[in-house]
């Protein structure tokens, strides 16, 4: 799991809380039920009005995915494909059927099974590209939905402030009450901006990023398995796939692979010591 969303949101709210403490603001003065009800309730309502119930429910179900979505290093994908190319080259394409049983990723499993079944290369490419688009559609739909909420929330907050200021004008005969009423009026604007920039837009950006990363991963898999089917030389295939990936992504993957290798060596050393004892 990549913790970027959790860390980012916690730091954002932490910075806000720090400002509140430094300014000497009372937190309870910001946690007013009426403006929060308007901002969150009306924002979600108009968001649903701009889409379908089905897509809205799908989008909210995707919120946990924004926190727990896995980021698979491209180098790991390339290593897996090169290993498959070596196996296919030495044992034939039919050997990939056994490998398909060991793979957890449904997309790769289906690709290997189709290769073993003798599916034509062009037909397989069309099939995999269509499947990729259908798999990415859910994350992209959720991203667009939360992006729309991020656009609605500040405006809804302003509406709440206008309503509250109308109430302020009704109490001009009581000057002692004007200060608290005006302060409360701007809480709606605060929550509109806060929810948009601390919640909805980060959710939208995260889901879009996960979809982009998953698209890049599946594109690598498509090009890789088709090259395996065509009988490409494993080393050259690995270099070709690396050329499709940004350098910084490969370096990050290599760093993780290096850490994993060190951990494996350390575990192996500990096991050897245990056997020797």
């Amino acid at each position: 799991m990549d913790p970027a969303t959790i860390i980012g949101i916690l730091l954002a709210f932490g910075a806000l809380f720090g400002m509140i403490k430094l300014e000497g603001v009372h937190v309870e003065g910001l946690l007013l039920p009426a403006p929060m009800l308007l901002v969150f309730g009306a924002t979600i309502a108009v968001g649903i009005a701009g889409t379908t119930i089905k897509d809205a429910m799908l989008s909210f179900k995707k919120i946990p995915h924004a926190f727990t979505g896995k980021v698979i290093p491209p180098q790991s994908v390339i290593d897996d494909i090169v290993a498959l190319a070596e196996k296919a080259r030495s044992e034939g394409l039919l050997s990939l059927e056994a490998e398909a049983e060991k793979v957890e990723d449904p997309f790769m499993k289906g690709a290997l099974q189709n290769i073993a079944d003798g599916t034509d290369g062009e037909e397989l490419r069309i099939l995999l590209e269509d499947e990729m688009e259908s798999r990415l559609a859910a994350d992209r739909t959720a991203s667009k939905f939360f992006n729309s909420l991020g656009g609605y929330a500040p405006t809804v907050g302003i509406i709440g402030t206008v309503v509250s200021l109308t109430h302020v004008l009704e109490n001009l005969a009581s000057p002692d009450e004007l200060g608290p009423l005006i302060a409360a009026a701007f809480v709606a604007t605060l929550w509109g901006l806060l929810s948009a920039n601390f919640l909805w837009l980060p959710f939208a950006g995260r889901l879009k990023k996960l979809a982009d990363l998953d698209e890049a991963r599946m594109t690598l898999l498509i090009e890789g398995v088709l090259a395996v089917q065509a009988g490409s030389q494993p080393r050259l295939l690995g270099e070709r796939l690396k050329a499709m990936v940004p350098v910084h992504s490969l370096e990050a993957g290599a760093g993780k692979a290096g850490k994993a290798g060190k951990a494996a060596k350390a575990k192996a050393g500990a096991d050897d010591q245990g056997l020797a004892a």
Side-chain angles (χ1 to χ4, degrees):
M1 184 183 85
D2 185 275
T5 301
I6 296 175
I7 293 173
I9 291 178
L10 288 178
L11 286 176
F13 277 101
L16 175 65
F17 185 76
M19 177 189 174
I20 289 173
K21 285 298 183 183
L22 291 173
E23 292 287 340
V25 179
H26 296 291
V27 178
E28 58 271 17
L30 303 179
L31 301 176
L32 300 180
M36 293 176 67
L37 174 64
L38 173 69
V39 168
F40 284 97
T43 298
I44 292 173
V46 294
I48 293 173
T51 182
T52 64
I53 295 292
K54 183 177 180 180
D55 284 349
M57 293 177 63
L58 171 67
S59 299
F60 284 110
K61 288 179 181 178
K62 280 289 181 179
I63 290 179
H65 181 58
F67 292 97
T68 62
K70 296 180 181 179
V71 178
I72 300 175
Q75 186 62 54
S76 174
V77 177
I78 294 172
D79 291 342
D80 290 342
I81 293 173
V82 170
L84 292 172
E86 292 173 347
K87 186 173 184 63
R89 197 173 180 85
S90 61
E91 301 178 24
L93 293 178
L94 288 177
S95 64
L96 298 181
E97 185 171 10
E99 292 298 314
E101 298 299 324
K102 304 175 185 177
V103 175
E104 295 182 1
D105 178 17
F107 185 77
M108 190 171 186
K109 182 189 289 288
L112 295 178
Q113 187 62 55
N114 275 287
I115 291 176
D117 291 343
T119 304
D120 179 73
E122 286 302 316
E123 292 181 357
L124 181 57
R125 176 182 290 278
I126 294 172
L127 172 65
L128 293 177
E129 287 178 349
D130 289 344
E131 184 179 350
M132 178 177 69
E133 289 302 318
S134 65
R135 286 179 177 274
L136 296 174
D139 281 348
R140 287 176 173 165
T141 297
S143 176
K144 291 178 181 178
F145 177 75
F146 289 122
N147 199 54
S148 69
L149 295 189
Y152 292 134
T155 305
V156 172
I158 293 173
I159 292 173
T161 296
V162 171
V163 172
S164 296
L165 288 176
T166 302
H167 179 57
V168 170
L169 295 175
E170 293 175 350
N171 290 273
L172 290 179
S174 305
D176 294 341
E177 299 179 7
L178 291 182
L181 288 175
I182 293 173
F186 284 100
V187 170
T189 298
L190 170 66
W191 278 106
L193 294 169
L194 193 67
S195 61
N197 292 283
F198 283 23
L199 294 175
W200 308 133
L201 293 179
F203 287 164
R206 171 67 170 181
L207 291 171
K208 182 179 184 302
K209 182 63 177 178
L210 289 174
D212 290 343
L213 291 173
D214 211 23
E215 180 180 21
R217 178 186 68 85
M218 286 189 280
T219 299
L220 275 180
L221 284 174
I222 291 173
E223 297 301 326
V225 296
L226 289 174
V228 170
Q229 184 185 41
S232 294
Q233 201 273 340
R235 186 183 64 81
L236 292 178
L237 174 58
E239 293 300 320
R240 175 191 168 193
L241 294 178
K242 286 180 181 178
M244 296 173 59
V245 180
V247 176
H248 70 276
S249 297
L250 285 175
E251 290 175 348
K256 291 181 180 179
K259 290 179 181 179
K262 290 179 181 178
K265 289 179 181 179
K267 184 179 184 300
D271 291 342
D272 291 342
Q273 289 179 2
L275 289 172

